[in-house]
Amino acid sequence: MDTEPAPSGPVTTTVTTDLTVGGMTCAACVNRVEKKLGRLEGVTASVNLATGRARVEHPPDIGAQELVAAVEKAGYTAALPPPPREARPAGDAGGPTGTGEDEGEGEVARQERHRLVVTALLSVPVLVVSMVPALQFLNWQWLCFALTAPVVVWSAWPFHVRALRGLRHSAATMDTLVSLGVVASFTWSTYALFLGGAGEPGMEMAFSLVPGAATDTPAIYLEATVSVPLFVLAGRFLEARARRGTGEALRSLARLTAKEVSVRENGTERLVPVEELTVGQVFVVRPGERAATDGEVVSGSSAVDLSLVTGESEPVEVGPGSAVVGGAVNAGGLLLVRATAVGADTQLARIAQLVTDAQAGKAKAQRLADRVAGFFVPVVLALAVTTLGFWLGAGADAQPAVTACVAVLVVACPCALGLATPTALMAATGRGAQIGLLVKGPQALEGLQHLDAVVLDKTGTLTSGHMSVARVTAVPGGPDGSAVLRLAGAVEQGSEHPLGRAIAGHARREAPGAALPEVRGFRALTGRGVSGRVEDHLVEVLAPGDDLPGPLAEALSVAESAAHTPVLVRVDGVDLALIEVGDVVRAGSYRAVDRLRRLGVRPVLATGDREAPARAVADALGIDDVYARRSPEDKAGLVRELREQGYRVAVVGDGVNDAAALAGADLGIAMGSGTDVAIGAADVTLSRGDIDALADAVQLSRHTLHTIRTNLVWAFGYNVVTVPLAMVGLLNPMLAAAAMSVSSLLVVGNSLRLRAWQPAPARRRIR
């Protein structure tokens, strides 16, 4: 059972349970399930048509079986999803998540495909003969009647069953409209054939896009009778495939999980199912294989590809002590990795859960659409009856009256209303996960769209968060900077000081494949630095004094203005270079700040660091608003001040000290490399650890909300236009059925475009 404690409130404590709901076909179904669950005391529910899931918040004394029973009383099926360890990420439209259940979904899809194929074989001859008078042979109408009968009984059987189930529960859904449309058109056609004279040999019927006036011989609507289930079945089949595509990102994450893993114990290897792997065990990752779970490299070095996990295309070099993410592809040598997390605790599982949670929520616009859908079908039924009564009351014959009534029943489409938002959210959150953006829900997407100020932490957000070499300045006429750095790095290999480790590490990276030379006579000069002999040279790495050569003196001034730590390299008593060490600005921060500004978002730097380094980073990035030496309480206060000024504020951070500000902002954004506390308090996580992803998130949210608005405009506009046309007799029932199916497909197809969305440089916004 997917049940987790919710935040405690002043009155009661609630828990959250996910249910898989079956049998829903439109937004009216969603509204009915939510209402039925909401009648339980203390229960609130959010039901998603595209995923077939209900997220229910309820008191602890209400059990999951009671929730399942409530859904079943509404006329639908309900079940608990598999436990997290056994489940795989969801994404099927209306489908559950386990392997066995996926197979069940496949069986259902095969049955639906079989029903569609048989319906098409029976319906196409009826459509062709009915629409082409030249093909209407003697007694053609009786052959069409014989082909239509199984379509009415067998093909449309699921619609009839769901309509009757709804009737038993005093509910009307899309299936009610389809069932009534099929039965009404077939009943009229049966009357016309047996009692109205349409069954006479030699009877001919011309087809018109617009229903015509009555003739001496009543028309038969067998083509409308077969077209309604044919088009609806075809539309729902294609719609289900398309909706399955919106969850492809989650299935891609599921495929990253290895099924078996080679565990090394006592010098031997054995192959075990990945479910049996436990924390602390050492497993083998060979070249080309995926890491079975999160872990720490024990032995070996390689480059790993994290593109499908973080969206970062550059391979990452790892070695002993480096962290490895489950699902990462080993692109180099053999690695021995000690498992640090398994099952639902892995980063891959958390990403999948975040995306699943995001897809369970609803945007404000969708809540409006669901409320409309709650009374949509009853209104359409009333309009259909009113249309029939009006035509008959106005003196029209039964034929055009029935035609208009049937057209009203089959043209109305609440499905498009129900799919407008969830399909877009599924596609967008899935695409976001692929490019390193984890959005907790639709509220976060809406917040990103309206964002106009962002408070940025410095260390670990705009900067790398660890000491590294920023610049090497060498004296002209002497050895170049790389040669001096090599000597300094060799001496610093024996140092435990953070500055020394940064210099040695940078020197190794600058000379890949070549080991640094050995140092002899290493000495730590207390308070000054280190020294040693390297390749017969006395190399000293010291704090710089006042008497420096001109170029090094200038470099010292630059280092101090940037709040970097300067280190002097002296070889055989001669000052040869100055190395600047500090927390350097991330490469992506420059472009990120510029893009945010172009998107109309005001960047604000708030840090607990000193004024000098904060101002240096702000100047480098072009940020005007700088707040240094800010405590966590001060950051939270700054957020409140900005909100009081009318800004919609986001906070970006990666540490425990950012958690209060993250929670107090309109939108909290955490770096994926940050602490669990920061990530837990955030609405959006930038899993690739690059601040430039924030601008991507803003652009994706705006594109997604534009797609949702387009979907809803189409869904509402379609019904507003087509229902009146059907009422006045300007819409053939067959075309009405086709239009109804196409309306849902257009909404889903428009949402699917988000799967291919790519970040693009933002245009400057004109205020």
Side-chain angles (χ1 to χ4, degrees):
M1 182 177 73
D2 186 9
T3 304
E4 57 188 15
S8 299
V11 178
T12 184
T13 300
T14 62
V15 294
T16 300
T17 298
D18 285 348
L19 298 176
T20 299
V21 181
M24 297 189 300
T25 57
C26 66
C29 302
V30 169
N31 185 267
R32 176 159 180 76
V33 173
E34 288 183 343
K35 281 187 175 180
K36 200 69 173 179
L37 287 168
R39 288 174 185 167
L40 298 175
E41 186 175 355
V43 174
T44 58
S46 175
V47 181
N48 190 311
L49 176 62
T51 60
R53 288 228 173 186
R55 174 148 292 184
V56 190
E57 294 185 4
H58 57 95
D61 58 342
I62 294 181
Q65 294 306 320
E66 192 172 348
L67 301 176
V68 170
V71 175
E72 291 175 344
K73 287 179 182 177
Y76 305 91
T77 62
L80 294 170
R85 184 68 185 244
E86 300 173 8
R88 297 187 315 187
D92 289 352
T97 53
T99 303
E101 295 184 39
D102 285 343
E103 293 173 357
E105 281 291 301
E107 180 60 30
V108 170
R110 283 191 292 272
Q111 292 176 1
E112 291 178 348
R113 184 168 57 247
H114 174 69
R115 187 179 298 273
L116 174 59
V117 170
V118 173
T119 303
L121 292 175
L122 294 170
S123 302
V124 170
V126 177
L127 291 172
V128 172
V129 174
S130 299
M131 295 170 63
V132 183
L135 298 178
Q136 292 173 359
F137 50 87
L138 188 66
N139 291 322
W140 65 272
Q141 66 271 41
W142 292 104
L143 175 63
C144 289
F145 179 79
L147 293 174
T148 302
V151 173
V152 173
V153 177
W154 181 77
S155 300
W157 182 252
F159 304 111
H160 302 324
V161 169
R162 289 192 288 261
L164 289 172
R165 185 187 301 147
L167 183 62
R168 285 200 302 270
H169 294 88
S170 303
T173 67
M174 186 69 205
D175 295 303
T176 307
L177 301 181
V178 172
S179 178
L180 285 175
V182 171
V183 171
S185 58
F186 185 68
T187 301
W188 174 264
S189 300
T190 303
Y191 161 78
L193 283 170
F194 285 92
L195 301 175
E200 295 294 328
M203 179 267 192
E204 291 186 1
M205 185 182 73
F207 177 79
S208 173
L209 295 178
V210 178
T215 61
D216 293 337
T217 302
I220 56 177
Y221 294 113
L222 297 177
E223 80 283 356
T225 305
V226 297
S227 66
V228 171
L230 175 63
F231 290 145
V232 175
L233 287 172
R236 289 187 178 175
F237 179 76
L238 295 174
E239 176 190 305
R241 291 188 62 181
R243 284 156 61 184
R244 180 176 173 83
T246 62
E248 181 58 34
L250 276 176
R251 284 186 293 278
S252 296
L253 290 175
R255 288 193 289 268
L256 296 183
T257 306
K259 294 182 179 179
E260 294 183 318
V261 58
S262 295
V263 176
R264 179 168 292 187
E265 293 177 335
N266 301 322
T268 62
E269 288 185 26
R270 59 188 179 94
L271 200 63
V272 301
V274 71
E275 292 81 6
E276 296 181 9
L277 188 65
T278 59
V279 173
Q281 285 187 306
V282 175
F283 60 93
V284 181
V285 187
R286 293 181 170 80
E289 292 183 347
R290 295 189 184 278
T293 191
D294 296 354
E296 179 181 315
V297 177
V298 176
S299 174
S301 60
S302 179
V304 295
D305 180 2
L306 296 171
S307 58
L308 288 177
V309 180
T310 66
E312 185 62 56
S313 58
E314 293 285 334
V316 178
E317 295 289 336
V318 297
S322 300
V324 174
V325 178
V329 178
N330 180 8
L334 182 74
L335 294 176
L336 293 182
V337 182
R338 179 180 292 106
T340 56
V342 295
D345 297 327
T346 64
Q347 183 173 333
L348 196 62
R350 290 200 301 269
I351 290 174
Q353 188 59 48
L354 278 172
V355 178
T356 302
D357 291 345
Q359 294 175 353
K362 287 189 180 183
K364 293 179 182 177
Q366 185 61 29
R367 295 189 181 278
L368 172 62
D370 287 347
R371 283 197 296 270
V372 171
F375 56 82
F376 181 91
V377 175
V379 167
V380 171
L381 290 173
L383 290 175
V385 174
T386 302
T387 300
L388 180 64
F390 176 81
W391 279 70
L392 294 175
D397 291 326
Q399 178 179 316
V402 172
T403 301
C405 177
V406 172
V408 171
L409 288 172
V410 299
V411 78
C413 184
C415 303
L417 292 174
L419 294 170
T421 296
T423 52
L425 285 176
M426 287 179 68
T429 51
R431 180 59 185 150
Q434 290 177 328
I435 61 175
L437 306 172
L438 301 178
V439 184
K440 282 191 175 178
Q443 292 79 15
L445 270 177
E446 290 172 331
L448 280 167
Q449 181 197 24
H450 301 297
L451 191 66
D452 53 15
V454 56
V455 177
L456 302 162
D457 183 43
K458 180 182 77 71
T459 306
T461 300
L462 294 174
T463 65
S464 63
H466 54 81
M467 303 292 283
S468 57
V469 174
R471 186 182 294 105
V472 180
T473 304
V475 174
D480 61 21
S482 59
V484 178
L485 179 65
R486 177 173 173 270
L487 295 174
V491 175
E492 292 287 12
Q493 287 183 100
S495 173
E496 292 298 324
H497 194 281
L499 293 178
R501 289 200 299 269
I503 293 172
H506 191 78
R508 292 191 197 97
R509 288 191 294 272
E510 287 293 301
L516 295 176
E518 294 184 5
V519 58
R520 301 192 310 275
F522 173 82
R523 287 196 305 153
L525 308 175
T526 305
R528 293 185 58 209
V530 296
S531 68
R533 298 199 68 84
V534 180
E535 297 179 343
D536 295 328
H537 295 286
L538 175 62
V539 181
E540 299 170 282
V541 184
L542 311 165
D546 297 329
D547 188 14
L548 292 175
L552 300 188
E554 294 178 10
L556 176 62
S557 177
V558 171
E560 290 174 342
S561 65
H564 288 163
T565 302
V567 176
L568 176 67
V569 182
R570 181 179 294 161
V571 180
D572 295 331
V574 180
D575 297 339
L576 293 183
L578 193 81
I579 301 175
E580 292 181 43
V581 181
D583 187 7
V584 298
V585 177
R586 293 178 187 266
S589 297
Y590 298 95
R591 183 168 181 264
V593 171
D594 179 66
R595 290 178 65 199
L596 288 170
R597 193 179 290 111
R598 289 175 179 272
L599 286 166
V601 180
R602 171 189 173 189
V604 178
L605 176 60
T607 178
D609 207 347
R610 294 172 292 112
E611 180 74 28
R615 179 61 62 182
V617 170
D619 291 343
L621 297 175
I623 298 176
D624 298 325
D625 301 300
V626 184
Y627 299 87
R629 293 190 178 278
R630 292 280 167 152
S631 67
E633 293 78 11
D634 293 334
K635 288 185 180 182
L638 173 62
V639 171
R640 285 194 298 272
E641 291 175 14
L642 290 171
R643 295 182 69 183
E644 289 170 359
Q645 295 173 21
Y647 285 99
R648 285 155 294 192
V649 185
V651 173
V652 184
D654 71 332
V656 174
N657 62 324
D658 300 314
L662 286 168
D666 293 296
L667 201 69
I669 302 171
M671 303 297 288
S673 55
T675 64
D676 290 341
V677 175
I679 292 173
D683 302 294
V684 180
T685 301
L686 311 180
S687 65
R688 71 179 189 239
D690 181 2
I691 189 64
D692 194 32
L694 174 56
D696 294 345
V698 173
Q699 285 188 303
L700 176 60
S701 73
R702 294 179 180 180
H703 196 69
T704 302
L705 271 295
H706 173 73
T707 300
I708 290 174
R709 284 193 295 268
T710 303
N711 287 347
L712 288 171
V713 167
W714 164 258
F716 279 109
Y718 162 84
N719 289 291
V720 168
V721 171
T722 57
V723 171
L725 287 177
M727 292 177 67
V728 298
L730 295 178
L731 204 57
N732 184 287
M734 186 187 72
L735 294 182
M740 185 270 291
S741 297
V742 169
S743 67
S744 294
L745 288 176
L746 286 176
V747 165
V748 177
N750 189 43
S751 299
L752 279 177
R753 297 189 302 121
L754 290 167
R755 290 177 58 198
W757 179 82
Q758 291 290 343
R763 296 180 180 178
R764 186 178 299 276
R765 190 172 75 174
I766 300 175
R767 291 182 176 271

